[in-house]
């Protein structure tokens, strides 16, 4: 029986008292009998009603309540005690009834006393007595035998009185007619109220297992979409289902819905009573909220449903049938509940499909594809992989759009959300090598500049080979321009010395040996300095040096035999090799697990080209030398950041060593095929439509375990956030900038210039 409120219990008490008075009036001609033998039953029943579930304790019996029940019962028996005049049968009945009341009283007193005892074993005995009292100390158990004793002792020869007293005992003591009346009234009122809040608008047309129910509308547009409805099925439990979309017509409009909850039978009797079998009802929001609250259903999610899980989904890849594509776009996050966990996926593509849904209805739909991102760990601010897949036809929810609140350690975020993407370990970007790939104008250089600033803030030195002359201005706070210009002038002077001089030893011919020595001096001072210099920038195209490839020979000129050797101009690819090998040579004195120097190859397709893309034959050998330096550099703290717009034209020897990839918009199939091995074919195929300043990020340097499509930081926003905690270095003052004389016989060095 339903629990009644205090007000309802008072009403129930009044009904029970009224019944007692009416029956008493019928039996004795008076509303209440006189005090004595003939009225003993009435007052016993009245005590039962007063001290029973109406007033003292409505739900369970405590030892104190047992005392309050048994004492009046025992006292009332003592008041009618006529032991000397009673026959033996009445004495036995009296003794039995009074013993029950006395036993309950004794056990209740024991429970109270033992419960306050300090010993745990004695308290355990008290708890066992409590269990006994919960059964035998109820008012009905105590007072029903007393009334039966009164009927036997004082009314045994009066059939009319026995019948009426039995009816009174049944209606008040045993079952409480007042409770029945109040509960019945409540049900009628609630059913009437629910009937006004529920309207049947559809019927069940078919089931598509699992969890899909086709609903046939009685009238067109009667069943709103994205609405939670009540379905009463005579063959199974009633259900709550979410309407999804219109899928055809069969003697009425067919609406597809997905089951979101199975309701226990009998839990909502009033609702079941007003909805016909195999019918669908729309419930008023207020009542629907009550049901959803009791079933732990989040009503706020219904508007964000965009589809249902489709066949062929796997742990890594989610396919879902789109039911609402108004806000869907590539890169948006969707959510599916898997094993009670909120697992996020990122949309990477879609296609159109067609199927037959009911009889001859052909239904065309969109099928979206998403890659698992994982479960968001709020404490660690990162995603972790989830190792299972969702059930088919499970609802798919679109993550709400949020404004991105940039933080100093985030390199980007998921589009239209505040889920942030971080660099897992800045050292891994260097020691395990990183590549930024994409066409011209999509934000590669700005992303690279941000990564370099993060490296330098951690004390990692950067040697940038830049054909664009962009880095010195964008990283001007880290670039000591006057000092570096002095260093570059010494390098240029080295290219002028012996430019036309050949040697018997080809390795000593031309100005290349001088340039190598100058690079070593410059880089050695840079790498080993502790004066705040963190950035060195070279443009390989500006160094016009010469090299001698062969031993000298004799040749005839102006009618005379002369001896000499041909000299060739050094290419940017060869300058790249010299710098890379020199840095490795300097670092190789000591092994290190942490990153020390990052080599930046801007326009890498021109600095480390693939063998079939070289301009000069010697560039093949030079690229191989650069690749060897990168392959060997990890154990000495050397790595590279490679930036290119032509993935196909960069040497794969280096590119294959890049363990972290930022893939931006690209069109060439060679590049997409290569990237497919890193970021997956689904993400690779979507690269041609990726927006500007968006990148697929994956690898050792990412805080996410799976590839993710992110929007990279805006440069101004990054500086505003990052430089609050990370300040550029302060360079030492330089009194004079040494300028080499044009015709000095030796490479120009000035010992007064600090490194």
């Amino acid at each position: 029986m339903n629990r009644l409120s205090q007000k309802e219990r008072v009403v129930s008490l009044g009904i029970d008292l009224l019944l007692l008075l009416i029956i008493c009036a019928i039996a004795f001609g008076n509303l209440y009998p006189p005090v004595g033998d003939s009225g003993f039953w009435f007052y016993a029943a009245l005590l039962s009603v007063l001290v029973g579930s109406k007033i003292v304790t409505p739900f369970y019996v405590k030892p104190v309540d047992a005392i309050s029940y048994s004492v009046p019962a025992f006292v009332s028996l003592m008041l009618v005690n006529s032991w000397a005049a009673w026959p033996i049968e009445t004495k036995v009945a009296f003794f039995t009834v009074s013993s029950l009341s006395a036993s309950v009283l004794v056990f209740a007193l024991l429970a109270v006393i033992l419960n306050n005892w300090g010993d745990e074993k004695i308290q355990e005995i008290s708890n066992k007595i409590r269990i006994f009292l919960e059964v035998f100390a109820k008012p009905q158990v105590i007072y029903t035998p007393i009334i039966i004793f009164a009927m036997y002792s004082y009314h045994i020869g009066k059939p009319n009185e026995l019948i009426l007293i039995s009816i009174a005992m049944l209606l008040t003591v045993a079952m409480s007619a007042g409770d029945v009346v109040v509960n019945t009234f409540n049900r009628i009122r609630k059913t009437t109220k629910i009937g006004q809040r529920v309207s049947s608008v559809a019927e069940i047309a078919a089931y598509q297992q699992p969890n899909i129910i086709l609903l046939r509308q009685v009238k067109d547009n009667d069943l709103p979409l994205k609405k939670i409805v009540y379905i009463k099925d005579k063959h199974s439990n009633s259900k709550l289902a979410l309407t999804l979309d219109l899928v055809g017509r069969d003697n009425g409009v067919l609406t597809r819905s997905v089951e979101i909850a199975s309701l226990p039978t009998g839990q909502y009797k009033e609702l079941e009573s007003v909805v016909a079998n195999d019918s669908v009802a729309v419930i008023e929001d207020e009542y629907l909220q009550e049901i959803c609250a009791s079933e732990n259903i989040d009503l706020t999610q219904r508007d964000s449903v965009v589809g249902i899980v489709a066949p062929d989904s796997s742990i890594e890849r989610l396919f879902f049938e789109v039911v609402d594509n108004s806000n869907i776009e590539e890169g948006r996050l969707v959510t599916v509940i898997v094993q009670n966990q909120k697992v996020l996926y990122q949309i990477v593509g879609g296609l159109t499909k067609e199927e037959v849904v009911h009889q001859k209805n052909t239904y065309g739909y969109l099928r979206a594809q998403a890659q698992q991102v994982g479960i968001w760990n709020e404490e660690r601010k990162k995603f972790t992989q989830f190792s299972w897949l969702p059930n088919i036809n499970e609802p798919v929810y679109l993550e709400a759009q949020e404004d991105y609140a940039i933080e100093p350690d985030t390199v980007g975020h998921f589009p239209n959300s505040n889920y942030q993407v971080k660099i897992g370990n800045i050292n891994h970007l260097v020691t395990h090598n990183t590549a930024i790939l994409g066409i011209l104008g999509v934000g590669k250089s700005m992303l690279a500049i941000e990564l370099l600033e993060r490296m330098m803030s951690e004390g990692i030195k950067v040697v940038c080979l830049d054909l664009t002359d962009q880095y010195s201005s964008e990283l001007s706070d880290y670039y000591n321009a006057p000092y570096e210009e002095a260093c570059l002038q010494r390098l240029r002077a080295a290219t002028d010395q012996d430019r036309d001089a050949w040697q018997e030893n080809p390795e000593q011919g031309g100005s290349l040996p001088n340039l190598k020595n100058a690079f070593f001096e410059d880089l050695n001072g840079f790498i080993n300095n502790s004066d705040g210099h963190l950035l060195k920038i070279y443009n390989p195209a500006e160094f016009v040096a010469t090299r001698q490839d062969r031993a000298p020979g004799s040749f005839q000129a102006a009618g005379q035999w002369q001896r000499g050797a041909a000299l060739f101009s050094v290419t940017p690819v060869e300058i790249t090799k010299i710098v890379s090998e020199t840095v490795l040579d300097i670092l190789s004195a000591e092994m290190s697990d942490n990153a020390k120097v990052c080599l930046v190859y801007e326009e890498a397709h021109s600095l480390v080209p693939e063998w079939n893309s070289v301009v000069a034959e010697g560039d093949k050998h030079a690229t191989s030398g650069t690749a060897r330096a990168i392959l060997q550099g990890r154990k000495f703290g050397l790595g590279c950041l490679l930036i290119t717009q032509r993935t196909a034209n960069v040497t794969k020897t280096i590119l294959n060593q890049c363990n972290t990839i930022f893939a931006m918009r690209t069109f060439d199939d060679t590049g997409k095929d290569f990237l497919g091995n890193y970021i997956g074919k689904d993400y690779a195929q979507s690269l041609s439509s990726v927006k500007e300043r968006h990148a697929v990020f994956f690898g050792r340097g990412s805080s996410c375990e799976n590839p993710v499509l992110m929007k990279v930081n805006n440069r101004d926003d990054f500086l505003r956030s990052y430089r609050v905690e990370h300040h550029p270095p302060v360079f030492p003052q330089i009194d004079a900038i040494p300028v080499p004389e044009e015709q000095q016989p030796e490479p120009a060095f000035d010992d007064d210039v600090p490194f």
Side-chain angles (χ1 to χ4, degrees):
M1 184 170 292
N2 295 332
R3 294 179 176 181
L4 303 179
S5 65
Q6 185 66 45
K7 182 178 179 181
E8 290 171 335
R9 290 201 301 274
V10 172
V11 174
S12 176
L13 172 62
I15 294 172
D16 286 347
L17 289 176
L18 182 61
L19 282 172
L20 280 175
L21 294 173
I22 292 173
I23 293 174
C24 184
I26 295 173
F28 301 101
N30 197 6
L31 284 177
Y32 58 92
V35 177
D37 297 344
S38 61
F40 180 56
W41 72 272
F42 178 84
Y43 296 106
L46 185 60
L47 276 174
S48 174
V49 171
L50 290 174
V51 304
S53 60
K54 301 298 187 299
I55 300 298
V56 179
T57 178
F59 308 126
Y60 58 92
V61 178
K62 297 180 290 187
V64 175
D65 298 330
I67 295 173
S68 66
Y69 301 159
S70 58
V71 168
F74 187 78
V75 171
S76 65
L77 284 169
M78 294 302 104
L79 290 175
V80 297
N81 185 359
S82 300
W83 187 268
W86 282 340
I88 187 65
E89 296 85 357
T90 304
K91 290 180 179 180
V92 171
F94 178 81
F95 177 78
T96 303
V97 174
S98 59
S99 296
L100 175 61
S101 300
S103 298
V104 170
L105 177 59
V106 171
F107 279 112
L109 290 171
L110 277 174
V112 172
I113 295 170
L114 296 179
N115 186 57
N116 295 322
W117 216 276
D119 191 279
E120 292 184 1
K121 292 184 178 179
I122 295 178
Q123 288 181 344
E124 187 176 347
I125 296 173
S126 174
N127 291 331
K128 291 180 179 178
I129 295 176
R130 282 172 173 267
I131 297 173
F132 166 81
L133 293 175
E134 288 178 2
V135 177
F136 293 99
K138 293 180 179 179
Q140 296 91 333
V141 176
I142 294 174
Y143 287 95
T144 299
I146 295 176
I147 297 173
I148 293 173
F149 166 75
M151 293 168 61
Y152 171 77
S153 300
Y154 308 121
H155 306 279
I156 193 63
K158 303 171 183 178
N160 291 338
E161 293 180 7
L162 285 175
I163 292 172
L164 290 171
I165 293 172
S166 297
I167 293 173
M169 181 180 68
L170 177 66
L171 293 178
T172 58
V173 178
M175 60 174 287
S176 180
D179 285 0
V180 174
V181 171
V182 172
N183 279 319
T184 302
F185 175 77
N186 285 341
R187 287 195 61 186
I188 293 172
R189 184 181 63 177
K190 190 173 182 180
T191 300
T192 303
K193 187 176 180 181
I194 290 175
Q196 296 170 350
R197 300 162 75 182
V198 172
S199 56
S200 295
V201 296
E203 60 185 22
I204 299 173
Y207 280 92
Q208 294 179 338
Q209 295 297 335
N211 301 333
I212 295 297
I213 310 170
L214 294 184
L215 310 176
R216 183 185 292 109
Q217 295 190 33
V218 177
K219 295 181 181 179
D220 291 357
N221 302 321
D222 267 359
L223 196 59
L225 300 181
K226 289 195 177 181
K227 179 75 175 180
I228 295 179
V229 296
Y230 173 78
I231 299 177
K232 185 178 179 183
D233 186 352
K234 64 182 178 182
H235 300 295
S236 62
N237 291 352
S238 298
K239 304 170 181 64
L240 291 181
L242 178 68
T243 57
L244 299 175
D245 53 358
L246 305 178
V247 293
R249 184 177 291 274
D250 174 44
N251 297 322
V253 175
L254 293 178
T255 300
R256 183 169 51 170
S257 67
V258 58
E259 179 183 336
I260 59 174
S262 178
L263 304 179
T265 302
Q267 182 74 24
Y268 304 96
K269 291 181 179 179
E270 295 80 7
L271 183 57
E272 293 174 2
S273 65
V274 299
V275 180
N277 285 332
D278 296 332
S279 293
V280 182
V282 175
I283 306 172
E284 273 189 6
D285 282 346
E286 184 179 352
Y287 183 43
L288 179 63
Q289 289 173 1
E290 295 177 13
I291 298 175
C292 289
S294 63
E295 300 296 327
N296 294 320
I297 298 171
D298 186 0
L299 266 176
T300 60
Q301 285 193 313
R302 62 182 174 181
D303 294 331
S304 62
V305 172
V306 292
I308 53 175
V309 176
D312 304 322
S313 295
S314 63
I315 294 175
E316 295 292 339
R317 183 182 294 110
L318 170 71
F319 293 105
F320 67 93
E321 185 176 335
V322 178
V323 299
D324 181 2
N325 67 349
S326 56
N327 293 309
I328 287 183
E329 61 180 337
E330 187 177 51
R332 285 293 298 270
L333 293 176
V334 294
T335 300
V336 184
I337 304 301
V338 185
Q339 297 178 352
N340 296 321
Q341 295 283 341
K342 180 181 176 181
V343 183
L344 284 93
Y345 298 80
Q346 188 171 40
I347 298 174
V348 296
L351 50 86
T352 57
K353 299 279 285 187
E354 187 177 77
E355 69 173 14
V356 176
V357 292
H358 185 64
Q359 295 183 6
K360 295 183 180 180
N361 283 287
T362 301
Y363 172 64
Y365 63 93
L366 294 176
R367 192 186 201 197
Q369 180 178 339
Q371 295 293 116
Q372 186 191 140
V373 178
I375 299 175
W376 178 252
N377 186 318
E378 182 63 30
E379 182 179 346
R380 299 171 61 192
K381 296 291 185 182
K382 63 175 291 186
F383 284 99
T384 57
Q385 173 83 3
F386 190 75
S387 57
W388 196 236
L389 69 163
N391 294 326
I392 192 171
N393 292 334
E394 190 75 22
V396 178
Y397 304 93
L398 186 67
E399 276 291 288
Q401 297 191 48
E402 292 182 301
D403 293 331
Y404 173 45
I406 186 171
E407 296 182 5
D409 59 346
T410 55
V411 72
H413 64 103
F414 287 83
N416 300 297
S417 81
N418 194 33
Y419 287 111
Q420 301 177 0
V421 184
K422 303 179 181 180
I423 300 298
N425 187 324
I426 198 70
N427 282 277
H428 291 160
L429 285 184
V430 180
T431 57
H432 292 75
N433 305 310
T434 300
I436 303 176
L437 314 172
I439 64 171
L440 184 67
V442 293
K444 298 188 306 299
S445 296
M446 289 299 102
L447 174 58
I449 287 165
E450 176 180 329
L451 297 180
L452 295 181
E453 182 161 342
R454 293 181 182 277
M455 293 177 190
M456 289 186 288
S457 295
E458 297 297 324
I460 301 171
K461 298 191 176 183
V462 172
V463 177
C464 183
L465 297 167
D466 177 23
L467 294 172
T468 66
D469 291 326
Q470 182 179 12
Y471 286 74
S472 58
S473 59
E474 294 294 342
L475 288 171
S476 58
D477 291 330
Y478 286 83
Y479 189 67
N480 189 348
Y483 172 81
E484 295 300 332
E485 180 59 29
C487 296
L488 288 173
Q489 288 193 38
R490 289 203 303 273
L491 290 171
R492 295 186 193 107
T495 64
D496 294 332
Q497 300 300 316
D498 300 324
R499 178 178 296 177
D500 299 323
W502 58 269
Q503 301 291 336
E504 291 294 333
N505 182 356
E507 293 182 359
Q508 300 299 320
S511 61
L512 183 59
N514 296 330
L515 182 61
K516 286 182 178 181
N517 292 333
F519 268 126
F520 183 87
E521 294 295 332
D522 192 40
L523 288 168
N524 186 58
F526 169 69
I527 293 172
N528 293 316
N529 78 49
S530 58
D531 55 10
H533 290 92
L534 295 166
L535 178 62
K536 178 73 68 175
I537 301 176
Y538 301 128
N539 184 342
E542 75 168 300
F543 298 108
V544 185
T546 57
R547 72 177 190 278
Q548 180 180 336
D549 287 347
R550 301 180 182 87
S554 298
F555 61 93
Q556 190 173 14
Q560 295 182 353
W561 285 93
Q562 299 181 13
R563 185 172 176 80
L567 298 176
F568 302 91
S569 296
V570 176
T571 66
V573 179
E574 293 172 312
I575 297 296
T576 302
K577 174 197 172 188
I578 294 169
V579 173
S580 302
E581 290 181 336
T582 301
V583 172
L584 176 62
D585 186 32
I586 295 169
L587 293 176
S588 60
E590 182 181 2
M591 299 181 67
S592 174
D593 293 329
N594 294 323
K596 290 184 174 181
V597 178
C598 178
L599 285 166
V600 181
Y601 302 126
E602 176 61 65
E603 302 290 343
H605 51 276
S606 297
L607 301 179
V608 283
E610 186 61 285
W611 65 272
N612 57 355
S613 300
V614 297
V615 176
E617 189 65 24
D619 287 352
K620 293 182 180 180
H621 176 72
T623 299
S624 298
T626 302
R628 280 194 301 271
I630 297 302
L631 290 172
Q632 298 172 16
R634 176 184 169 187
K635 55 182 176 288
F636 302 110
L638 172 65
C640 76
L641 173 62
L642 183 149
I643 305 105
T644 184
Q645 54 186 287
R646 300 176 187 173
T647 307
N649 295 344
V650 176
T651 176
K652 301 306 180 290
T653 307
I654 295 179
L655 206 51
N656 284 328
Q657 297 301 314
C658 293
N659 199 273
T660 300
I661 298 288
F662 292 89
M664 307 181 86
R665 187 191 304 165
T666 187
F667 297 114
D668 66 289
D669 291 336
T670 303
K672 288 192 286 187
D673 289 343
F674 173 81
L675 289 169
N677 298 322
Y678 283 85
I679 62 176
K681 295 188 180 299
D682 300 318
Y683 273 114
Q685 291 302 317
S686 69
L687 289 178
S688 56
S689 59
V690 169
K691 298 179 181 179
E692 291 182 10
R693 295 182 50 245
H694 286 66
V696 178
F697 181 27
F698 178 59
R700 187 70 178 269
S702 174
S703 62
C704 300
E705 297 177 7
N706 294 324
V708 296
L709 175 60
M710 70 170 188
K711 184 176 183 179
V712 301
N713 290 332
N714 175 275
R715 176 68 177 164
D716 292 336
D717 292 340
F718 163 73
L719 292 176
R720 188 164 47 251
S721 170
Y722 191 73
R723 291 195 178 177
V724 172
E725 299 179 5
H726 304 85
H727 305 289
V730 178
F731 301 114
Q733 293 292 327
I734 299 178
D735 296 331
I737 301 173
V739 179
E741 297 180 7
E742 292 185 3
Q743 302 298 325
Q744 263 187 311
E746 298 293 332
F749 291 94
D750 192 330
D751 295 335
D752 293 332
V753 178
F755 283 89

